[in-house]
Amino acid sequence: MQGFAGFMWLLSVALILFSGFALIDAAIRREDAYRAADKQSKAFWLIVLGLAFVVNLIFNILSFLPIIGLIATIVYMVDVRPAIKGLPGGGRSRKGSSSDGPYGPWNGGR
């Protein structure tokens, strides 16, 4: 019986890490990348993945709520994330200069 409890604990920790990774990944993507990929908004995915993360922390893995959170996390990871990463720039926030254009920094014709 202890082996099963240990396995369920490891599965629960893996689920928490998986949903946490998806939440962090959704947070670092640009808002316009979600619209360009024709997916829901960034706020929608942050709320859904945040709820999935909190549910995984609070409830037992044998409950139905963590399973719903797992399904939402899997949908993000296999559908939304690849669509956003396929966009130019990978959908990540850029920390460039205000004079940066779409093809790199603008140097005034020098």
Side-chain angles (χ1 to χ4, degrees):
M1 199 62 164
Q2 282 183 327
F4 181 72
F7 172 74
M8 294 307 286
W9 182 81
L10 285 176
L11 194 59
S12 178
V13 169
L15 196 57
I16 290 169
L17 292 175
F18 184 55
S19 62
F21 172 78
L23 179 62
I24 291 170
D25 185 73
I28 64 171
R29 305 291 173 186
R30 294 189 330 247
E31 170 66 34
D32 61 339
Y34 288 88
R35 288 179 303 218
D38 198 25
K39 303 298 176 187
Q40 294 289 332
S41 69
K42 180 177 182 174
F44 172 83
W45 283 109
L46 288 176
I47 290 169
V48 168
L49 294 172
L51 285 173
F53 182 73
V54 170
V55 162
N56 288 329
L57 284 175
I58 295 174
F59 291 99
N60 186 4
I61 193 152
L62 295 176
S63 174
F64 72 95
L65 288 176
I67 295 171
I68 294 171
L70 175 64
I71 292 169
T73 304
I74 289 172
V75 167
Y76 175 80
M77 293 298 286
V78 301
D79 183 39
V80 178
R81 186 173 185 251
I84 292 173
K85 284 184 73 170
L87 296 173
R92 290 196 177 222
S93 298
R94 292 184 307 197
K95 301 285 187 213
S97 169
S98 62
S99 66
D100 283 355
Y103 304 108
W106 186 75
N107 59 10
R110 287 185 243 145

